[in-house]
Amino acid sequence: MTELPLAPLKRILKEAGGTRISDEAVVELAKVLEEYGEEIGEIANKYARHAGRKTVKAEDIQMATR
């Protein structure tokens, strides 16, 4: 099971234009977002450590997604 709540993800898919969304699609989106989030988190953590900080800031996340 995923750590992300599924209801908001289903809402995101609906807002993106989906009219009918399977539960499997929502779970798959959660898995993909968690994997992507972990990758971004690792990169952002490297930026924070490089700057001599233990705290990951928004600017680290922004740089990690570029």
Side-chain angles (χ1 to χ4, degrees):
M1 201 64 201
T2 64
E3 292 184 37
L4 293 173
L6 300 180
L9 297 178
K10 190 167 192 171
R11 199 167 31 253
I12 289 171
L13 288 170
K14 283 189 176 194
E15 289 174 5
T19 53
R20 295 182 63 193
I21 299 147
S22 71
D23 291 339
E24 293 84 11
V26 177
V27 170
E28 188 61 27
L29 177 61
K31 288 178 187 176
V32 169
L33 290 177
E34 284 181 2
E35 289 174 14
Y36 185 59
E38 285 180 17
E39 291 175 22
I40 292 171
E42 289 173 5
I43 296 168
N45 192 34
K46 288 178 185 177
Y47 283 128
R49 282 184 291 162
H50 179 73
R53 293 182 275 108
K54 292 183 179 179
T55 304
V56 176
K57 295 185 174 186
E59 61 199 42
D60 301 321
I61 301 293
Q62 292 169 350
M63 288 190 329
T65 58
R66 290 186 190 142

